[in-house]
């Protein structure tokens, strides 16, 4: 038996030696786990903030592409302005001032004659500093007849320093080269884009940005040191190298600041241009220091540390377990978010193209074109037959050109709105869809004496209105390219695996097989407008509608042997049962 005299020494040994050791071990374990958690949270915060900086840089790069593409479109409008081509110098000067007030991005607009001498400009710099346009640029537009983009900042005069220049040729009525119209967009005027895009994501958080060329030369930055404005600085840092190597994918990197020497997290992205405007191949950088990135975790550290000193082991162990679980879930969410952002980025690119089409058509083209069309038609109505034959012919050309341009803009708007104005998919009886298309083209069928037949057609899931548009375009083409004989057209459908394949077969002039893919590209035509009218966008609309439904479209044809247009609609769930219709249209007097 243990006597009562032995108990106090045992309790004293437990409280005096073992318990302090356990407490110290618990403190050390909690400290080690806390440091590990701090390191983990910091790395996750760097990844999250780096991705945000990269997305912000990509948004600014896309906005720069859009703004400069609009300026690329402006110079084309300026070159087609009748006053800038043929007006008096004072009229040209007033028109240039009007354009500069409309588009505030410009610092200078001017018109030069065929020798490159400036004859009209927006400010007083023309006679003193910019008396002639660069001869190499003028020779380029004279030789090629295309737009010249000055990608390197010029030092010829104050209005053209550190600016992007655009130049387009001016032609007379007989196609003679009369000179050029030029514009300059200062890099300084683009700074607001960085501030606006940065404020959208970070609010009032401190961040830094730079705009560089592909070679790493700084064009502009948020904080420019005194005395460095005239000294271009070329950077050789990891972010520039990664952006140059991977032009199509934004990202982030941890590096050292080129001036202060402290460590920063840098998000990078590259400009890429739109359509026939190749862009200026710039690099956009957004930065934050590690101190700024770690600030949320550092504030949290003091709070957690104070609480951890009060309850060391239980809450620390529980917190580590929760942190581990949250880390796993966060990794899954980040992976899902990355996949979703990649899809959204690709979709945003595509939608940006469509929105740009709609923007140009609805704002920059339609209003002046309506004015041109209205006045040319008024001139044709009032003065036809009152002037000489050449004047009547020129008026006819102007009216015809304005009418064709309006039709082209309407088709472009239709093409761009196929996705934004689309309906949800629902069961669509293709027989009824075909009947709707035929009802829309009764006059064309009657005038051409077309015979249109079709087999039993199924019901599929889709947008009935858009599918009717496909049938209408294909039938219109079959009637248009029927040759001399009355058109004979047959529509059929057959089941192939998990999709329905529809065909529209005619006996017309046919298509050379080497052009089978080209005809589905927007604006691609195989015949002149004098032979067959149209804008060359109908089959491109069909292709986009069918691809929206998850199918594809193609043609089988030979010259002189007619053509068969095929398109498929996925239908994995439904059986091959169908709603059947038989209809023959043979309209004649």
């Amino acid at each position: 038996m243990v006597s009562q005299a032995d108990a106090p020494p045992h309790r004293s040994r437990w409280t005096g030696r073992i318990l302090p050791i356990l407490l110290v071990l618990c403190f050390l374990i909690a400290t080690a786990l806390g440091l590990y958690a701090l390191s983990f949270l910091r790395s996750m915060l760097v990844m999250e903030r780096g991705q945000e900086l990269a997305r912000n840089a990509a948004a600014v790069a896309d906005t720069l592409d859009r703004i400069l593409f609009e300026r690329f479109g402006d110079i084309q409008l300026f070159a087609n302005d009748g006053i800038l081509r043929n007006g008096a110098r004072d009229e040209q000067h007033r028109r240039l001032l009007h354009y500069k007030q409309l588009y505030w991005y410009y610092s200078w607009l001017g018109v030069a004659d065929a020798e490159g001498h400036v004859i009209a400009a927006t400010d007083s710099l023309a006679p003193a500093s910019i008396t002639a346009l660069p001869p190499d640029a003028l020779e380029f537009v004279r030789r090629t007849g295309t737009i010249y983009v000055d990608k390197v900042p010029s030092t010829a005069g104050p209005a053209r320093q550190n600016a992007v220049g655009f130049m387009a040729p001016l032609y007379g009525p007989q196609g003679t080269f009369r000179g050029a119209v030029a514009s300059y967009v200062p890099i300084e005027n683009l700074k607001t884009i960085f501030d606006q895009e940065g404020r959208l994501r970070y609010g009032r958080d401190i961040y830094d940005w730079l705009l560089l060329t592909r070679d790493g030369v700084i064009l502009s930055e948020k904080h420019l040191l005194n005395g460095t404005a005239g000294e271009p600085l070329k950077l050789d840092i990891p972010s520039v190298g990664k952006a140059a190597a991977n032009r199509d994918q934004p990202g982030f990197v941890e590096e050292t600041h080129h001036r202060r020497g402290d460590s920063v997290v840098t998000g990078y992205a590259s400009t890429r241009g739109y359509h026939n405007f190749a862009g200026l191949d710039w690099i956009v950088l957004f930065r934050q220091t590690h101190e700024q990135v770690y600030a949320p975790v550092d504030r949290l550290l003091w709070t957690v540390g104070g609480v951890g000193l009060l309850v060391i082991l239980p809450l620390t162990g529980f917190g580590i377990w929760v942190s581990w679980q949250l880390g796993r879930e966060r990794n899954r969410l980040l992976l899902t978010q990355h996949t979703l952002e990649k899809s959204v980025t690709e979709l945003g690119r595509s939608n940006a193209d469509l929105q740009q089409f709609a923007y140009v058509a609805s704002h920059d083209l339609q209003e002046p074109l309506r004015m041109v069309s209205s006045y040319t038609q008024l001139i044709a109505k009032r003065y036809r037959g009152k002037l000489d034959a050449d004047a009547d012919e020129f008026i006819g050309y102007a009216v015809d050109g304005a009418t064709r341009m309006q039709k082209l803009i309407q088709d472009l708007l239709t093409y761009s709105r196929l996705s934004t104005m689309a309906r949800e998919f629902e069961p669509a009886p293709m027989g009824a869809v075909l009947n709707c298309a035929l009802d829309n083209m009764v006059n064309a069928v009657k005038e051409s004496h077309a015979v249109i037949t079709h087999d039993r057609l199924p019901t599929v899931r889709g947008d009935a209105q858009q599918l009717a548009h496909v049938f209408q375009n294909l039938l219109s083409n079959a009637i248009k390219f029927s040759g001399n004989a009355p058109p004979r057209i047959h529509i059929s459908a057959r089941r192939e695996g998990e999709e329905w394949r529809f065909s529209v077969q005619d006996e017309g002039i046919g298509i050379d097989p080497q052009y089978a893919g080209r005809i589905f590209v927007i604006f691609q035509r195989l015949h002149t407008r004098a032979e067959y009218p149209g804008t060359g966008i109908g089959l491109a609309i069909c292709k986009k509608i069918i691809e929206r439904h998850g199918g594809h479209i193609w043609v089988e044809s030979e010259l002189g042997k007619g053509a068969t247009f095929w398109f498929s609609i996925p239908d994995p769930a439904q059986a091959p049962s169908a709603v059947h219709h038989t209809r023959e249209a043979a309209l004649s007097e």
Side-chain angles (χ1 to χ4, degrees), residues 460-475:
V460 299
R461 286 193 62 82
D463 187 333
Q465 184 175 358
Q466 289 191 349
L467 292 175
H469 203 166
V470 172
F471 274 131
Q472 186 172 338
N473 280 345
L474 295 179
L475 292 174

Side-chain angles (χ1 to χ4, degrees), residues 72 84 91 93 193 226 300-301 372 401 433 512 516 532 543 567:
F72 184 79
L84 296 184
E91 293 178 333
H93 177 72
I193 298 174
N226 295 331
L300 181 63
L301 175 63
V372 171
V433 170
D512 193 331
Y532 297 99
K543 181 174 183 291
F567 64 90

Side-chain angles (χ1 to χ4, degrees), residues 490 492 502-506 511 554-558 561-566:
H490 183 72
S492 62
F502 299 84
S503 65
V504 179
Q505 183 179 8
D506 63 61
I511 301 171
W554 68 98
V555 64
E556 297 175 357
S557 178
E558 294 184 16
K561 297 183 179 180
T564 301
F565 282 85
W566 293 87

Side-chain angles (χ1 to χ4, degrees), residues 205-499:
D205 284 2
I206 299 174
Y207 64 94
D208 195 8
W209 57 260
L210 295 93
L211 179 64
L212 309 95
T213 65
R214 180 61 47 184
D215 298 329
V217 177
I218 297 179
L219 297 176
S220 182
E221 58 181 314
K222 184 174 183 179
H223 302 293
L224 184 65
L225 297 180
N226 295 331
T228 61
E231 303 174 3
L233 179 62
K234 183 175 182 180
L235 302 185
D236 185 12
I237 53 179
S239 57
V240 174
K242 287 183 176 292
N246 194 359
R247 187 170 181 266
D248 296 329
Q249 183 63 41
F252 72 96
V253 66
E254 297 178 74
E255 58 186 9
T256 302
H257 196 280
H258 65 285
R259 297 190 192 277
R260 302 191 302 265
D262 53 350
S263 59
V264 294
V265 178
T266 303
Y268 58 83
S270 299
T271 59
R272 297 188 293 181
Y274 280 110
H275 307 294
N276 57 337
F277 174 63
L280 299 180
D281 212 21
W282 288 343
I283 295 175
V284 177
L285 302 182
F286 270 77
R287 289 174 161 180
Q288 278 195 318
T289 65
H290 276 93
E291 181 180 357
Q292 295 167 337
V293 174
Y294 293 155
V297 174
D298 292 341
R299 289 193 297 266
L300 181 63
L301 175 63
W302 290 103
T303 304
V304 173
V307 175
L309 291 176
L310 300 177
V311 282
I312 298 177
L313 186 59
L315 293 182
T316 301
F318 178 77
I320 293 300
W321 180 81
V322 171
S323 177
W324 180 71
Q325 291 290 340
L326 290 177
R328 291 181 57 188
E329 294 297 326
R330 187 180 186 83
N331 287 336
R332 294 194 190 100
L333 290 176
L334 286 176
L335 180 60
T336 304
Q337 181 182 3
H338 175 73
T339 304
L340 180 59
E341 288 174 353
K342 185 177 180 181
S343 301
V344 170
T345 300
E346 294 300 325
L347 182 61
R349 275 285 182 192
S350 177
N351 287 338
D353 292 342
L354 298 180
Q355 291 171 3
Q356 187 61 33
F357 267 121
Y359 175 83
V360 173
S362 60
H363 292 85
D364 291 348
L365 293 180
Q366 282 203 10
E367 183 61 29
L369 184 59
R370 278 195 293 268
M371 182 178 294
V372 171
S373 178
S374 299
Y375 279 103
T376 52
Q377 291 175 6
L378 182 61
I379 292 174
K381 182 177 179 180
R382 288 187 178 181
Y383 299 105
R384 186 178 300 276
K386 297 182 180 180
L387 304 176
D388 57 12
D390 288 342
D392 290 342
E393 182 180 3
F394 295 160
I395 292 173
Y397 288 156
V399 173
D400 179 65
T403 303
R404 285 192 290 107
M405 180 60 75
Q406 284 182 324
K407 174 62 177 172
L408 180 63
I409 290 174
Q410 292 171 359
D411 288 346
L412 280 175
L413 286 173
T414 301
Y415 183 83
S416 65
R417 291 171 178 170
L418 288 178
S419 297
T420 57
M421 305 295 290
R423 300 179 179 179
E424 294 184 358
F425 288 175
E426 57 186 13
M430 295 300 284
V433 170
L434 176 59
N435 289 339
C436 180
L438 291 173
D439 290 340
N440 292 336
M441 50 188 304
V442 169
N443 292 334
V445 174
K446 182 177 180 180
E447 292 172 359
S448 63
H449 303 284
V451 177
I452 302 175
T453 60
H454 66 86
D455 294 339
R456 303 162 66 182
L457 300 181
T459 296
V460 299
R461 286 193 62 82
D463 187 333
Q465 184 175 358
Q466 289 191 349
L467 292 175
H469 203 166
V470 172
F471 274 131
Q472 186 172 338
N473 280 345
L474 295 179
L475 292 174
S476 296
N477 281 351
I479 293 174
K480 181 192 302 182
F481 299 104
S482 62
N484 297 324
R488 298 185 64 86
I489 308 167
H490 183 72
I491 300 98
S492 62
R494 69 186 185 193
R495 184 81 177 190
E496 294 285 346
E498 295 188 345
E499 66 181 17

